[in-house]
Amino acid sequence: MAKRVRVRAPELLGKGGWINTGGRELGLADLRGRIVIVDFWTFCCVNCLHVLDELRELEEKHRDTVVVIGVHSPKFVHEAEHRAVVDAVERYGVEHPVLDDPELATWKQYAVRAWPTLVVIDPEGYVVAQHAGEGHVHAIERLVGELEEEHAAKGTLRRGDGPYVAPEPEPTVLRFPGKAVVLPGGTFLVSDTTRHQLVELAGDGESVVRRIGSGARGFADGDASTAAFNEPQGLALLDDGSVVVADTVNHALRRLDLATGAVTTLAGTGRQWWQGSPASGPAREVDLSSPWDVAWWQGRVWIAMAGVHQLWAYDPQDGTVAVAAGTTNEGLVDGPGAEAWFAQPSGLAATPERLWLADSETSALRWVEPDGSVHTAVGTGLFDFGHRDGAAEQALLQHPLGVTALPDGSVAVADTYNHALRRYDPATGEVTTLATDLREPSDAVLVDGDIVVVESARHRLTRLRLPEEAVRVPEVAHRTRREATEVAPGRLRLDVVFQAPAGQKLDDRYGPSTRLLVSATPPELLRGGEGAGTDLSRTLELDPAVPEGVLHVSAVAASCDDDPATEYPACHVHQQDWGVPVRLTEAGAGRLSLVLAGMDA
């Protein structure tokens, strides 16, 4: 077996303490003898949620040798609240210990630069691999097999139960509900996300009329008792009386027949969309990626495709889906739909004139015109957020997930991480606060002049009067918490480290197997080196007159099984986006290394 590069693993430290351990504090010494996979994640990040789902099968298959440890490393201020992390661990069905690290102590010790990042520690306590982004679990599983064999032979592998302790279930009617819609009879249909069901509630918003779905995580059509969902979110009522459901973790659109309770699949294969997959075609044959909300607009079902930072549309007339706006690059760029950038669009609301959307990772309220062009009402980009009312160009939101069109032409925003309901008035360009002291509101619907809010982290619907005057709140502004990397002005060597997993090689049969895209905020930071290319190393030219900014780096690498005897080798796409805050100093580094997969020599 080839000699493997190893680095002693730093200790796991976090001021927030441990979750899912029954109150026990853990250290690396407690995990000695086990293969440890450390998952650096934050609960706002859809790519992190994808990795949680990727890890489930590996955790189950290697339960007696592998321990997955989540290290929660917050981006937003709200994510540094311990109660919010506890909620997120339950909300997303995390079944392994999680260290709450609100001050990014362990993140810094492991030199992590992106969410999600996976680090593999061998049974002797050494780091043997690091992977940023999604799509790496196949490589990690191969490595796990090698480590099991190697350390069983050495006598350093310890088998047995892991340190995970399941929390006690809570007896609430709803559990982290996501979205709601008002049905023609005056009842509410709610996506009961964590319980993998839809729930119809009476007009009081509390009494259960019926549940749709077995309640077990799965992907199956059938009647109300046998159909299976996987963390459903958005709902849209169609003219024929049916409801379209964004079945988020199944990467699918489902149809609910309200009369019979039957559930069928409209779009998606159950597989996640990857770069190179078809982006249009027969709806049941095209992969989707974490559809988070849906809305009926201009004769099509529009889809907030959070997993790839795009808007898609489903056409019921010919049964097709296609990209409607967005490039898959993550950020905030307006313009024609084909050139726009989004960042986890998570909420939609349609009016005849506009399709409004909550673009969560840019903390933005945006809209699409009938001609397909994209515009921003509130928000500046990935790194600025807070709670500030006033003129829209300086107002701030914090990771909104829902948007609701109001009768007067204004828009209500479920400002999720501010625990508030906000309002944007296009006529005046002003942002105000309608209500506070909500708990992670994720959607809202109108009923008889009132607004009913989905209070996700309070597990309920909350009815509010639309106030004539806004609530006044103290102004707060934040930027992403990560410390800037000090780099030297002028020439900076950028190296994206990618080592193909054992038994694989870069796939260049149909052209270049790698892609690198670089840009900056502000754009003036880069004098040279921006744009797309196929080499994972590049020399950038940083303007000394710009003291600090953010480098945006997106990398993709495709690898395939390296076996000449296999006619159709299995291939895998590895991809990650980094936003690296940098500060220019004469004593700064002349090289910036970002690990996509492997170890930086």
Side-chain angles (χ1 to χ4, degrees), residues 73-274:
S73 313
K75 171 185 174 179
F76 290 97
V77 169
H78 170 60
E79 292 174 310
E81 298 175 14
H82 183 69
R83 178 69 250 175
V85 182
V86 173
D87 285 347
V89 167
E90 181 188 350
R91 181 195 302 268
Y92 297 116
V94 179
E95 295 184 354
H96 53 247
V98 173
L99 175 63
D100 180 12
D101 183 19
E103 297 177 346
L104 304 182
T106 297
W107 167 286
K108 295 170 189 173
Q109 288 295 309
Y110 280 79
V112 175
R113 296 187 183 276
W115 298 277
T117 290
L118 295 169
V119 175
V120 182
I121 302 173
D122 73 12
E124 294 178 292
Y126 288 88
V127 174
V128 293
Q130 182 169 327
H131 302 266
E134 304 176 51
H136 299 291
V137 170
H138 71 283
I140 292 174
E141 181 155 19
R142 186 187 296 254
L143 176 58
V144 164
E146 294 176 0
L147 291 172
E148 287 176 337
E149 180 180 345
E150 174 186 344
H151 287 273
K154 291 173 67 175
T156 50
L157 183 68
R158 176 169 58 89
R159 296 178 181 271
D161 293 334
Y164 168 67
V165 178
E168 290 294 324
E170 297 285 343
T172 53
V173 172
L174 302 173
R175 203 69 192 163
F176 298 104
K179 306 287 185 181
V181 66
V182 181
L183 299 181
T187 58
F188 299 93
L189 187 67
V190 184
S191 53
D192 196 13
T193 304
T194 298
R195 292 197 176 124
H196 315 296
Q197 290 181 317
L198 309 179
V199 180
E200 185 177 356
L201 299 177
D204 61 10
E206 298 177 4
S207 305
V208 175
V209 176
R210 60 174 168 167
R211 292 183 178 271
I212 294 129
S214 67
R217 188 188 294 271
F219 188 14
D221 291 342
D223 61 27
S225 62
T226 61
F229 300 97
N230 198 342
E231 298 183 24
Q233 287 281 349
L235 306 167
L237 181 66
L238 302 187
D239 291 340
D240 66 1
S242 65
V243 173
V244 176
V245 182
D247 194 5
T248 304
V249 179
N250 278 328
H251 311 295
L253 296 189
R254 316 292 291 282
R255 178 185 183 273
L256 168 64
D257 185 317
L258 288 172
T260 66
V263 175
T264 52
T265 300
L266 291 177
T269 62
R271 298 183 300 271
Q272 184 183 339
W273 188 93
W274 288 98

Side-chain angles (χ1 to χ4, degrees), residues 412-592:
V413 180
D415 193 6
T416 309
Y417 288 4
N418 279 329
H419 308 300
L421 190 67
R422 312 286 292 283
R423 176 179 178 265
Y424 168 69
D425 187 348
T428 64
E430 292 286 312
V431 175
T432 53
T433 299
L434 295 175
T436 57
D437 193 32
L438 301 168
R439 187 69 186 171
E440 293 193 16
S442 55
D443 196 19
V445 294
L446 293 173
V447 179
D448 300 328
D450 294 339
I451 191 162
V452 177
V453 179
V454 180
E455 258 195 292
S456 187
R458 283 201 177 110
H459 320 292
R460 70 187 189 193
L461 303 186
T462 300
R463 185 183 291 254
L464 303 172
R465 291 285 180 188
L466 282 173
E468 294 182 5
E469 292 191 6
V471 176
R472 294 193 178 276
V473 297
E475 292 187 355
V476 180
H478 301 289
R479 284 185 64 80
T480 300
R481 302 166 61 88
R482 286 175 293 162
E483 293 180 359
T485 299
E486 293 193 350
V487 296
R491 294 167 67 87
L492 176 69
R493 180 69 174 179
L494 171 65
D495 290 325
V496 173
V497 177
F498 178 76
Q499 296 158 1
Q504 295 187 8
K505 65 178 181 179
L506 288 173
D507 174 30
D508 55 7
R509 293 170 299 161
Y510 306 110
S513 58
T514 57
R515 180 175 181 268
L516 181 65
L517 176 67
V518 180
S519 61
T521 302
E524 296 77 24
L525 175 64
L526 277 178
R527 278 183 169 177
E530 71 274 20
T534 58
D535 195 336
L536 292 181
S537 294
R538 185 181 302 181
T539 298
L540 310 180
E541 185 74 24
L542 305 183
D543 190 340
V546 182
E548 60 182 12
V550 178
L551 291 175
H552 305 281
V553 181
S554 178
V556 178
S559 62
C560 293
D561 290 344
D562 186 13
D563 184 353
T566 303
E567 184 177 1
Y568 299 106
C571 297
H572 306 273
V573 177
H574 314 259
Q575 63 185 53
Q576 175 61 18
D577 296 328
W578 291 268
V580 184
V582 295
R583 182 181 302 112
L584 275 58
T585 64
E586 291 297 334
R591 176 176 180 262
L592 176 62

Side-chain angles (χ1 to χ4, degrees), residues 331-350:
L332 194 156
V333 176
D334 290 340
E339 301 173 11
W341 292 24
F342 300 97
Q344 287 180 217
S346 301
L348 298 174

